[in-house]
Amino acid sequence: MDALGIRLKELRQQSGLSLREFARQVNVSPSFVSQIENGKSQPSVATLYAFSQRLNVTVDELFEGAPGTVGLPAADTRQRDNVLTDPASAWRPSEFANRISVVHPRHRSRLDMAAGVVWERLAATPETSVSFMKIVYKPGASSADTEELAHHAGYEYGYVTIGQLEVRVGYEVFVLNAGESLGFDSSIPHVFCNPGSVDMEGIWFVHGRGDHAGSTSRQK
């Protein structure tokens, strides 16, 4: 979290945003942003999405401090098309993988998103706008800090291997047990939480609206 706070402050300042203005644009309080930047608080998955979208970086760049395109004006669509800003693009396309990717459990890229939420990348290919990952939610863990639901372009598909996951999609609430799965249009506001007493583990596939790397059409 200390590394996240340092990186967040660096990106915010590079984008020319004051702490108060940044907080206003991502719809959180200035004190909450300050606590995150000082390593005293953990943002939820939904808040990390909002941060990455406003700063035009991938989620893993917030954690790793990798170089990214920061503070691009909204009109600069040519450059923005190369910046990944939703959960389908949590990781940068791999520079080292070709069309085949085999990942040993000890070599997975891992993101400790918020208190009790972990993502592990299960494959690393050059394809953009796709995330194939193992997710873990500790008991009581949620993808949002508040009642506000997240939404983004594309579709999500999930399979619960251990425990329970409560998924709210729009006005519908589903409780998935081990062995159960779902798919939904992720432009519908949604939130996840673990209502059980044991860790929830699952396999998740999130596909955004982008095209395969190397395609002649532009990523949206």
Side-chain angles (χ1 to χ4, degrees):
M1 285 300 111
D2 289 341
L4 170 63
I6 293 169
R7 180 59 173 164
L8 176 63
K9 184 174 182 179
E10 177 186 63
L11 291 171
R12 175 180 63 77
Q13 292 177 338
Q14 288 179 19
S15 68
L17 292 169
S18 68
L19 188 149
R20 185 173 297 277
E21 177 59 20
F22 177 69
R24 185 189 69 80
Q25 292 189 19
V26 297
N27 198 31
V28 298
S29 70
S31 61
F32 183 49
V33 175
S34 178
Q35 289 172 356
I36 294 171
E37 290 188 349
N38 289 304
K40 297 179 180 178
S41 186
Q42 293 179 302
S44 70
V45 175
T47 300
L48 285 168
Y49 292 165
F51 288 172
S52 67
Q53 288 174 333
R54 178 58 192 88
L55 297 171
N56 294 324
V57 294
T58 59
V59 173
D60 68 331
E61 286 179 284
L62 288 175
F63 285 86
E64 296 178 4
T69 306
V70 180
L72 290 174
D76 195 350
T77 56
R78 181 184 62 80
Q79 292 188 61
R80 286 175 64 90
D81 284 339
N82 295 321
V83 180
L84 312 177
T85 57
D86 64 51
S89 306
W91 286 275
R92 296 178 302 279
S94 174
E95 299 174 0
F96 307 104
N98 201 340
R99 290 182 295 174
I100 300 174
S101 173
V102 177
V103 182
H104 189 278
R106 289 182 296 182
H107 300 153
R108 291 177 190 154
S109 297
R110 173 187 169 114
L111 296 177
D112 290 278
M113 304 291 289
V117 180
V118 177
W119 289 0
E120 292 185 12
R121 190 182 195 182
L122 296 179
T125 68
E127 187 176 23
T128 61
S129 295
V130 170
S131 282
F132 175 46
M133 55 194 176
K134 175 184 175 181
I135 64 171
V136 178
Y137 277 66
K138 299 290 185 182
S142 174
S143 62
D145 295 310
T146 65
E147 293 298 318
E148 184 175 358
L149 280 65
H151 61 91
H152 50 86
Y155 286 81
E156 296 194 27
Y157 304 90
Y159 175 77
V160 175
T161 57
I162 299 174
Q164 285 187 328
L165 183 67
E166 181 179 295
V167 182
R168 178 179 169 189
V169 183
Y171 296 105
E172 302 282 346
V173 178
F174 309 92
V175 177
L176 302 179
N177 295 293
E180 296 183 319
S181 55
L182 87 164
F184 63 93
D185 182 339
S186 45
S187 67
I188 303 172
H190 55 277
V191 64
F192 304 151
C193 69
N194 179 357
S197 58
V198 299
D199 289 2
M200 189 290 304
E201 296 185 9
I203 304 300
W204 230 250
F205 181 82
V206 187
H207 204 301
R209 294 182 300 182
D211 300 306
H212 289 64
S215 172
T216 54
S217 48
R218 291 200 321 171
Q219 177 188 335
K220 186 172 182 182

